[in-house]
Amino acid sequence: DQQVKQNSPSLSVQEGRISILNCDYTNSMFDYFLWYKKYPAEGPTFLISISSIKDKNEDGRFTVFLNKSAKHLSLHIVPSQPGDSAVYFCAAIILGFQKLVFGTGTRLLVSP
Amino acid sequence: DAMVIQNPRYQVTQFGKPVTLSCSQTLNHNVMYWYQQKSSQAPKLLFHYYDKDFNNEADTPDNFQSRRPNTSFCFLDIRSPGLGDAAMYLCATSRTHAETQYFGPGTRLLVL
């Protein structure tokens, strides 16, 4: 049972344009969401997070939007840069429980 | 720099030959996690320690064991590796269960 889903395995974007990565979840108990970025041969690196009591969190070029009614979150990268090319994992957790649940990842390719 | 370190980065073992992967952290975090990630899949939590308290996921095979001799170190022991255990093994830490997890670079295990 995949509680966190990233339905797009890959995304290609031109440098300077917006990248939008999507994530859907099924468990309404999740109350904290995170995005991780992973380069080949490296571990995931924390990027940005959002609490379920918010609908938007922004950090520089990265913004995460949360739509609780739709059980959907998205990561916007503006402007996209070639160095953003990586696999992006969406993850969710129920605070007070131990388990971080990951999606399967979306591979982003930003071309010059 | 405070960090999560995994050694070795690449490990080759033979079918059925015990292998140990190591993780150390300089973050002084209370919680340490072990994840298994197979190609194109989400990282899957195997178990975690909160201080010395060990928590095993229900579907983690008995073949996988873990030790945490002190705050800084955590080991993953695979008693009799099978071909299906070839994967990337990720160690992560967090200050508490409710806080962001920080990952090491991973150990890629190959079973011959």
Side-chain angles (χ1 to χ4, degrees):
Chain A
D1 176 29
Q2 189 71 24
Q3 295 185 66
V4 177
K5 300 178 186 178
Q6 293 177 258
N7 292 317
S8 298
S10 63
L11 175 67
S12 292
V13 171
Q14 278 195 317
E15 182 177 7
R17 308 293 289 266
I18 184 170
S19 296
I20 301 176
L21 297 108
N22 293 303
C23 179
D24 297 293
Y25 61 96
T26 57
N27 191 340
S28 58
M29 298 292 290
F30 287 137
D31 46 17
Y32 201 73
F33 303 89
L34 307 92
W35 284 94
Y36 283 85
K37 175 179 175 180
K38 185 179 184 301
Y39 291 117
E42 294 185 15
T45 303
F46 170 71
L47 193 57
I48 192 169
S49 62
I50 188 167
S51 164
S52 62
I53 63 173
K54 295 188 173 183
D55 55 17
K56 178 182 175 181
N57 188 26
E58 191 172 354
D59 183 4
R61 296 186 297 114
F62 302 91
T63 303
V64 56
F65 295 92
L66 176 62
N67 182 334
K68 282 185 67 178
S69 60
K71 295 191 179 69
H72 177 83
L73 68 155
S74 60
L75 174 68
H76 292 212
I77 307 173
V78 183
S80 302
Q81 299 173 354
D84 296 329
S85 299
V87 178
Y88 289 79
F89 289 95
C90 169
I93 193 168
I94 302 170
L95 295 177
F97 286 81
Q98 296 86 346
K99 194 170 179 176
L100 191 63
V101 181
F102 283 89
T104 53
T106 296
R107 183 177 300 279
L108 174 66
L109 177 62
V110 181
S111 53
Chain B
D1 283 343
M3 56 199 305
V4 183
I5 302 160
Q6 289 189 247
N7 286 305
R9 295 292 308 276
Y10 298 90
Q11 176 74 56
V12 181
T13 191
Q14 290 179 317
F15 183 93
K17 185 173 180 181
V19 65
T20 295
L21 310 181
S22 75
C23 177
S24 63
Q25 54 128 342
T26 60
L27 297 158
N28 204 31
H29 282 174
N30 295 308
V31 194
M32 294 187 79
Y33 308 81
W34 279 105
Y35 289 85
Q36 179 193 65
Q37 186 185 18
K38 296 187 177 180
S39 181
S40 301
Q41 295 184 20
K44 178 180 177 296
L45 182 64
L46 295 173
F47 26 57
H48 75 277
Y49 276 93
Y50 192 111
D51 289 333
K52 292 187 184 297
D53 292 335
F54 176 71
N55 295 272
N56 198 36
E57 290 299 299
D59 56 355
T60 298
D62 292 339
N63 199 23
F64 291 83
Q65 303 285 322
S66 185
R67 296 172 283 134
R68 189 178 185 184
N70 54 53
T71 301
S72 301
F73 284 88
C74 195
F75 299 100
L76 169 62
D77 300 308
I78 309 176
R79 293 192 293 189
S80 181
L83 298 179
D85 297 327
M88 174 74 85
Y89 290 88
L90 296 164
C91 174
T93 74
S94 62
R95 201 163 65 91
T96 69
H97 287 131
E99 297 185 51
T100 300
Q101 294 183 24
Y102 294 91
F103 285 81
T107 295
R108 181 163 295 281
L109 178 68
L110 180 62
V111 182
L112 300 178

